Amino acid sequence: MEGDELCTFREQWEKELNKTTRDQQNATKNINKDLNLSNVNVTHFTNQETKNRYFGDQQKESLHTRSRNKCVSETKENSSNQSSQEETEWEGSSDPKLRKSANDKPGYVSIAEDLLDGRTSPLRDRIQVERKRRKRQFDVAANVYHSRTTQQQSQCKVARGDTFVEQLIHDLNEINEIPFFDVELPYELALKIFQYLSRPELGRCAQVSKAWKVLAEDELLWYSLCLMEGYHSDSSVSDSPCWKSTLRDCIETEGNLRYYWKNRIGAISNLQYELGKVLCDVSSCTQYVIAGYTSGDVRLWDTLHWDSGASYLRPTHLTMDVDTRPHVSQVKVNEAVAAAAYDDGLVDVWSTETGQEPVHHYQHLQRVHALALGSEGAAVATASGTGVRVDCPVEKGYWRTLCRVELPKPVESLLLIPERRGAPLAAASAGETVYLLRPDHDPSVLHSVYGHPVTCLDAGPTQAALGVKSSGWAMHDGGNKIQVYSLETGQLQVTVGNSAGDFTCVNLRDSPAHLLVCGNKDRRVRVFDLRSGGSPAASLYAHHLGVTAVQVDDWKVVSGGGEGLVCVWEMRTGAKLWEIHNRHPVRHVRFRPSTLVTANIPDEKSPRGACITDDDLTAHRRHRGVICLYDFSVDTSTPKNVLPICRSSYVESSGYSYNIGLAMPYDAIAGRQASL
């Protein structure tokens, strides 16, 4: 019985030993396979790193791999050392019998004895030894690659530093170096490159690195962008501590103004002068508005300083004591001077700074039909009948006449050309002819076509636009036209229009570059792009009694008509944004980015309806005319700018588009009853 149990134990023991031997052989094969793969990977890694030696990312990856393998191998190094120490004890033992018995014993007996004695498996020791050998091989390959890369970089630096240009850039770049990827540039050269970028491109460049962010936020770059956008054109670099913020504020303000324009949000003021009887003429420039009345009074408003003492402009002493003064026929104003012409031919000129007393006056023999001022400066031009006169102050303080001519026909329109070297002084239309006037020269003819009278005229610094009427034998050539001439060469540049109605007004001086806006008796406002010509860029059906005044900018058109309507249009879509109506025809329209000045001037200067009960025997208010000033820069979110009617104390709904909060009084009562 005991012999059978012993045989069974021996058979099971032999099976376990044979199984252990097979596992050892399989593990050895796997180790050899892993060793071959690792050699291939190390070689491939070394070649790839040598190929891409200009990039530091692969080097970082190799160092990361080394640290990771090092951590893995350290956990197993202790066991390997232990097994190696035991093998050394067996082999280096001084007892020859012990050494001989260890060598003579079969493999499975030695394995069994090791297991029974508690020692680790020799297979595990071999695996750990092989891992240590692979780690040493990988470290040697990495050290070789690192040394080669360092040597190549030093050679590249030496080779690049040999050239004179690179050495110069390196010397200039000792303090401020701007890295452009693999090239180092001085700050000044990098700034030259960045000055060609737009606002969005500078924003993207600022996200690349800290050095590029400093460069993209340079004050010179943003100051140049402010000038390119049209903001603060008269300022210097030192006027603002942060031009980037200044430009952002300007763009935000412009967006708010556009929103206010489209929704008619702002303050409206009526410039009234009760004692002036009937309004005769109105002109405006920047913050100044001037008006002349049938009583002979001239009133000047400074819209930025309402308490200014120069609001009432006194006439010259020659007419101050006259009981019945003549009507004011023409008024004009710019930033320097204000001028008024009367029906008796007298012309008075005031300074906008001192006001009240005239600084210059002269008189024509008959009524003044045209009065003109330049966009800047103090030159004054007047036309009475066929005579044209231009006066200007000199440095010593007195005025002198620059030009005085007689034309063949009565003058209908007169303009002063903005100052420009080689440009004419003034342009005058008389019948079918347009003349250019220069000091100490005879008048030169710019345009003259027999049977085609000039209906309107406007001029800019380099061009003159005039409306030509087609009549008589020439009506078959397409209709009325707008012709644009060059003031430098006197040649016709472009012809647009071909309309059946007469052109009543044209605006070239206040329009953006390459744009021209005009009004016609056929009730339409047309905007032309002078670069393309032909068909208009926008054609708006506006006023059923004809268009009397127009102005355009880059996105909107403002027009006035004979029926008293002032309309604001969006040029891109052709949609009417809003309109306002008064009794009399609109004779003056002038807008700036934040303000709009309109004037409704009556055609009848001596109307019926003067009331005997009035102290000054003036005409009724409905016959006097209206001057309106719209200010779209006013913050309407404050309660003082909201109409003080129908205010609600709770969440309110706006009524129409006039900022009126609608509320029901009984809502609050109902709420109280519910609470009780």
Side-chain angles (χ1 to χ4, degrees):
M1 192 68 181
E2 294 178 356
D4 295 337
E5 291 179 356
L6 181 62
C7 291
T8 303
F9 175 77
R10 288 178 178 175
E11 291 176 0
Q12 292 179 355
W13 182 255
E14 289 178 356
K15 290 180 181 180
E16 291 177 0
L17 291 178
N18 293 332
K19 183 178 180 181
T20 304
T21 302
R22 288 194 301 270
D23 294 337
Q24 181 180 3
Q25 293 176 357
N26 294 332
T28 303
K29 291 180 181 180
N30 293 331
I31 290 171
N32 294 330
K33 186 183 295 185
D34 294 337
L35 289 175
N36 294 331
L37 292 175
S38 64
N39 292 331
V40 174
N41 292 333
V42 170
T43 304
H44 177 70
F45 176 77
T46 305
N47 294 334
Q48 186 69 19
E49 288 292 318
T50 304
K51 182 177 180 181
N52 300 328
R53 61 182 177 273
Y54 291 99
F55 301 92
D57 295 339
Q58 297 292 339
Q59 183 176 358
K60 294 181 180 179
E61 183 179 357
S62 64
L63 296 176
H64 178 69
T65 305
R66 289 172 51 189
S67 61
R68 183 181 61 187
N69 294 335
K70 183 176 179 180
C71 294
V72 174
S73 60
E74 285 179 355
T75 56
K76 299 179 181 180
E77 186 175 359
N78 296 329
S79 60
S80 175
N81 293 334
Q82 183 179 358
S83 61
S84 300
Q85 183 177 2
E86 291 175 355
E87 290 178 358
T88 304
E89 291 177 356
W90 278 89
E91 294 177 357
S93 176
S94 61
D95 192 356
K97 295 182 180 180
L98 183 61
R99 194 182 329 148
K100 180 178 180 181
S101 61
N103 294 331
D104 294 341
K105 289 181 181 180
Y108 63 89
V109 176
S110 61
I111 292 173
E113 290 178 354
D114 292 340
L115 293 174
L116 292 175
D117 293 339
R119 291 191 294 270
T120 59
S121 174
L123 178 61
R124 183 180 299 174
D125 296 339
R126 293 178 183 177
I127 292 174
Q128 292 178 354
V129 170
E130 187 62 29
R131 287 179 177 175
K132 289 179 64 177
R133 186 185 66 80
R134 289 168 55 190
K135 177 179 178 297
R136 288 195 300 270
Q137 184 179 2
F138 182 81
D139 292 342
V140 170
N143 292 331
V144 171
Y145 163 72
H146 181 68
S147 62
R148 290 179 179 178
T149 304
T150 305
Q151 184 178 3
Q152 291 174 357
Q153 290 179 354
S154 62
Q155 291 177 357
C156 293
K157 289 184 178 180
V158 172
R160 188 176 66 178
D162 290 339
T163 62
F164 177 75
V165 177
E166 296 293 335
Q167 184 64 32
L168 178 62
I169 293 176
H170 179 71
D171 294 339
L172 294 175
N173 237 4
E174 291 181 354
I175 299 176
N176 297 325
E177 294 183 351
I178 303 300
F180 275 74
F181 301 108
D182 58 345
V183 178
E184 294 178 352
L185 292 179
Y187 190 88
E188 291 78 9
L189 293 181
L191 195 64
K192 287 286 186 181
I193 297 174
F194 273 54
Q195 71 180 358
Y196 297 101
L197 302 180
S198 61
R199 288 188 286 108
E201 292 171 345
L202 285 178
R204 298 187 188 102
C205 290
Q207 300 176 5
V208 174
S209 63
K210 292 183 178 179
W212 280 38
K213 178 178 176 62
V214 173
L215 186 63
E217 292 184 353
D218 190 89
E219 294 297 323
L220 289 176
L221 294 178
W222 291 99
Y223 171 71
S224 301
L225 286 175
C226 273
L227 298 183
M228 292 174 58
E229 296 286 343
Y231 307 115
H232 302 283
S233 57
D234 298 333
S235 60
S236 60
V237 183
S238 59
D239 291 342
S240 175
C242 182
W243 281 104
K244 182 178 180 181
S245 301
T246 302
L247 179 59
R248 181 176 61 248
D249 295 340
C250 292
I251 294 175
E252 183 179 359
T253 302
E254 183 179 359
N256 292 335
L257 284 176
R258 181 172 297 191
Y259 175 78
Y260 294 157
W261 268 95
K262 291 183 176 181
N263 295 275
R264 195 188 171 196
I265 300 175
I268 304 176
S269 303
N270 290 330
L271 307 183
Q272 298 179 355
Y273 183 52
E274 299 294 339
L275 302 179
K277 292 189 178 180
V278 179
L279 186 64
C280 293
D281 193 21
V282 175
S283 177
S284 64
C285 179
T286 59
Q287 75 266 28
Y288 297 107
V289 180
I290 188 173
Y293 298 88
T294 56
S295 60
D297 296 332
V298 179
R299 182 69 182 265
L300 178 68
W301 289 275
D302 187 350
T303 58
L304 296 182
H305 306 89
W306 291 101
D307 56 347
S308 175
S311 59
Y312 176 70
L313 303 181
R314 298 177 182 176
T316 183
H317 295 286
L318 298 177
T319 60
M320 186 176 296
D321 299 332
V322 178
D323 295 336
T324 304
R325 288 186 292 175
H327 295 181
V328 178
S329 59
Q330 300 281 332
V331 291
K332 297 293 180 183
V333 66
N334 60 14
E335 294 183 357
V337 295
Y342 301 88
D343 286 344
D344 60 352
L346 183 66
V347 178
D348 286 334
V349 181
W350 297 270
S351 172
T352 55
E353 296 180 357
T354 59
Q356 295 190 357
E357 298 296 334
V359 295
H360 179 59
H361 66 89
Y362 59 92
Q363 188 168 8
H364 288 275
L365 297 179
Q366 51 185 323
R367 184 176 185 269
V368 176
H369 296 280
L371 173 65
L373 294 179
S375 57
E376 56 186 11
V380 179
T382 55
S384 176
T386 59
V388 178
R389 177 175 174 175
V390 181
D391 287 17
C392 181
V394 295
E395 295 179 356
K396 294 182 179 180
Y398 61 88
W399 289 65
R400 72 184 184 93
T401 302
L402 297 179
C403 180
R404 194 168 190 172
V405 297
E406 291 289 335
L407 300 179
K409 294 183 179 181
V411 178
E412 299 173 355
S413 300
L414 180 63
L415 293 173
L416 280 179
I417 308 299
E419 294 183 4
R420 183 183 176 90
R421 180 176 297 179
L425 178 63
S429 65
E432 307 95 357
T433 309
V434 176
Y435 298 93
L436 298 180
L437 308 179
R438 292 179 172 87
D440 302 329
H441 288 79
D442 294 334
S444 60
V445 177
L446 178 66
H447 167 83
S448 181
V449 178
Y450 179 76
H452 291 65
V454 177
T455 58
C456 55
L457 175 66
D458 193 28
T462 60
Q463 294 175 321
L466 48 101
V468 180
K469 180 178 179 180
S470 297
S471 60
W473 56 272
M475 293 185 63
H476 63 279
D477 60 353
N480 303 292
K481 301 178 180 63
I482 295 288
Q483 294 185 347
V484 181
Y485 285 85
S486 173
L487 294 176
E488 297 178 355
T489 62
Q491 301 296 321
L492 178 64
Q493 291 184 334
V494 63
T495 300
V496 296
N498 296 332
S499 174
D502 298 342
F503 287 99
T504 56
C505 54
V506 59
N507 194 325
L508 178 65
R509 181 180 303 190
D510 301 323
S511 302
H514 308 294
L515 286 183
L516 179 146
V517 61
C518 56
N520 199 287
K521 285 186 177 180
D522 64 356
R523 311 172 185 177
R524 287 191 174 273
V525 175
R526 294 177 175 86
V527 181
F528 294 96
D529 190 342
L530 301 180
R531 295 170 294 183
S532 60
S535 60
S539 180
L540 311 172
Y541 186 84
H543 308 278
H544 65 275
L545 292 183
V547 184
T548 56
V550 288
Q551 189 179 347
V552 67
D553 64 359
D554 55 350
W555 70 274
K556 66 178 177 294
V557 180
V558 180
S559 62
E563 75 286 349
L565 274 178
V566 175
C567 302
V568 180
W569 312 78
E570 188 175 8
M571 185 171 58
R572 182 179 61 86
T573 61
K576 182 186 292 186
L577 300 177
W578 51 271
E579 64 181 20
I580 188 170
H581 178 265
N582 281 293
R583 182 183 300 272
H584 306 290
V586 180
R587 300 297 182 186
H588 178 78
V589 168
R590 182 69 177 262
F591 67 81
R592 299 177 63 214
S594 60
T595 59
L596 169 65
V597 178
T598 63
N600 296 74
I601 301 175
D603 292 331
E604 182 63 36
K605 305 304 180 184
S606 300
R608 300 177 182 178
C611 184
I612 195 71
T613 60
D614 292 341
D615 295 336
D616 56 352
L617 299 180
T618 57
H620 194 274
R621 183 172 296 179
R622 64 174 178 266
H623 300 302
R624 295 174 185 168
V626 179
I627 305 174
C628 295
L629 172 64
Y630 301 83
D631 188 0
F632 298 99
S633 62
V634 176
D635 186 8
T636 57
S637 61
T638 58
K640 66 179 182 180
N641 294 319
V642 181
L643 295 178
I645 57 175
C646 302
R647 284 186 181 168
S648 174
S649 59
Y650 54 91
V651 179
E652 52 188 38
S653 58
S654 60
Y656 194 50
S657 61
Y658 297 101
N659 296 334
I660 300 176
L662 301 179
M664 294 297 180
Y666 53 78
D667 290 345
I669 298 176
R672 292 178 183 177
Q673 292 178 354
S675 61
L676 294 175

